[in-house]
Amino acid sequence: MNPSPQSNAPLLQMSGVSAGYGEMLALENANLEIRESEIVALVGSNGAGKTTLLRVLSRLLPCSGEIRYQGRPINGSTPDQVFEQGMVQVPEGRQLFDRMSVQDNLLMGAYHRKNRSEVAQDLERIYGLFPRMAERRKQLAGSMSGGEQQMCAMARAMMAQPRLLMVDEMSLGLAPIIVDQLMEVLLSIRSQGVTVLLVEQDIHLALATADRGYVLETGHIVRSGPAKELIDDPELQKAYLGL
Ligand code: ATP
């Protein structure tokens, strides 16, 4: 029997992490753990500090406290180094190269990889995960719908061989039916052994798919636990779900 993701080894650990902008702390004393093959949701309202936490993980923002990835501290690592070790972001707003084809966008995700025949094989594997992108491989990325652009951004990130895929506000501005399709893709990505950190304002959506969740409020992690328990938590239902 496969172990549940919760019983796997920790892939990422944040202990007592604080960060901010000038005098202002946007993240305070955050403790968070992501285990191999989990889907972990990081949820919270606008301005709660979610993107700040992602910037800290990607080493774009300095922090105090400790971050360990694959058991080793990465506080001293650069953004390039953590990227090459498999910490890959799908950024909010997708940030595609609009005037380049879908395929060229996907290849940009693999720009640092030396073995081009492996990259070519991976391209076909990723098209298998995203059949719509295979159909549109020659289309300019900027001419596609929002949902297709989000798929393209996720496919590009997959071309970087992520071990931890960090997806920022995947659902923003997309129709529910498209979001459902993207969630299915995330589950397939996880089944390929990739661990996922899903950062969302839509708390219900994220917790409905995740194994565990963390709730951020004004820079503080105020709740964490199995996603199902968080969904059923009466205080969170009142605060976030309008129930
Ligand atoms: P959103 O969903 O709107 O992206 P968020 O949860 O990701 O929100 P952050 O973007 O991390 O929140 O912002 C946390 C706090 O830090 C907010 O008060 C925000 O105004 C502030 N902040 C974010 N980026 C900067 C910056 N570059 N300079 C100054 N303050 C910033």
Side-chain angles (χ1 to χ4, degrees):
M1 201 173 81
N2 284 334
S4 72
Q6 287 93 324
S7 64
N8 291 351
L11 180 61
L12 182 104
Q13 293 159 296
M14 297 177 82
S15 317
V17 170
S18 301
Y21 307 94
E23 297 284 286
M24 193 203 68
L25 274 187
L27 186 67
E28 227 176 317
N29 197 26
N31 298 305
L32 177 142
E33 183 174 276
I34 303 175
R35 296 179 164 265
E36 299 269 8
S37 298
E38 275 190 310
I39 298 182
V40 169
L42 174 69
V43 295
S45 320
N46 224 336
K50 304 181 297 297
T51 301
T52 301
L53 190 147
L54 281 184
R55 281 192 196 127
V56 161
L57 289 183
S58 302
R59 307 314 302 131
L60 293 166
L61 193 63
C63 67
S64 58
E66 190 181 54
I67 311 172
R68 296 178 86 84
Y69 175 65
Q70 301 181 104
R72 291 188 210 95
I74 55 163
N75 292 60
S77 300
T78 63
D80 280 354
Q81 285 168 337
V82 294
F83 175 77
E84 287 185 13
Q85 286 168 36
M87 291 178 67
V88 178
Q89 256 198 62
V90 182
E92 183 176 349
R94 297 140 204 162
Q95 297 177 21
L96 295 175
F97 299 98
D98 285 352
R99 299 173 67 87
M100 282 167 53
S101 68
V102 165
Q103 179 139 318
D104 286 343
N105 269 277
L106 264 53
L107 290 172
M108 288 303 285
Y111 75 91
H112 63 297
R113 295 173 56 186
K114 306 265 181 311
N115 187 333
R116 299 324 283 178
S117 71
E118 216 180 272
V119 168
Q121 275 175 19
D122 253 14
L123 191 60
E124 293 312 313
R125 184 176 64 85
I126 301 304
Y127 279 142
L129 260 179
F130 298 90
R132 186 85 65 90
M133 294 301 102
E135 288 163 21
R136 311 233 152 177
R137 59 177 86 193
K138 295 203 171 119
Q139 191 167 333
L140 292 186
S143 69
M144 296 194 297
S145 69
E148 288 166 343
Q149 290 191 19
Q150 186 64 47
M151 280 182 196
C152 187
M154 288 165 66
R156 180 182 59 185
M158 287 300 290
M159 287 299 293
Q161 296 187 304
R163 189 148 179 207
L164 174 63
L165 186 69
M166 302 177 281
V167 190
D168 196 5
E169 304 287 7
M170 180 182 81
S171 72
L172 211 62
L174 300 180
I177 186 165
I178 306 292
V179 174
D180 286 349
Q181 289 170 11
L182 291 169
M183 285 299 185
E184 287 298 319
V185 173
L186 271 190
L187 291 170
S188 312
I189 286 173
R190 183 257 286 277
S191 71
Q192 300 210 347
V194 178
T195 305
V196 177
L197 176 62
L198 183 58
V199 177
E200 272 288 335
Q201 267 184 52
D202 188 334
I203 167 163
H204 189 270
L205 175 79
L207 292 176
T209 302
D211 302 302
R212 289 189 307 112
Y214 290 83
V215 182
L216 252 184
E217 272 178 20
T218 52
H220 298 266
I221 292 176
V222 293
R223 283 278 204 295
S224 62
K228 179 149 187 2
E229 279 175 25
L230 294 176
I231 289 184
D232 292 338
D233 183 315
E235 274 188 43
L236 291 182
Q237 289 185 344
K238 205 164 144 215
Y240 292 97
L241 304 176
L243 301 175

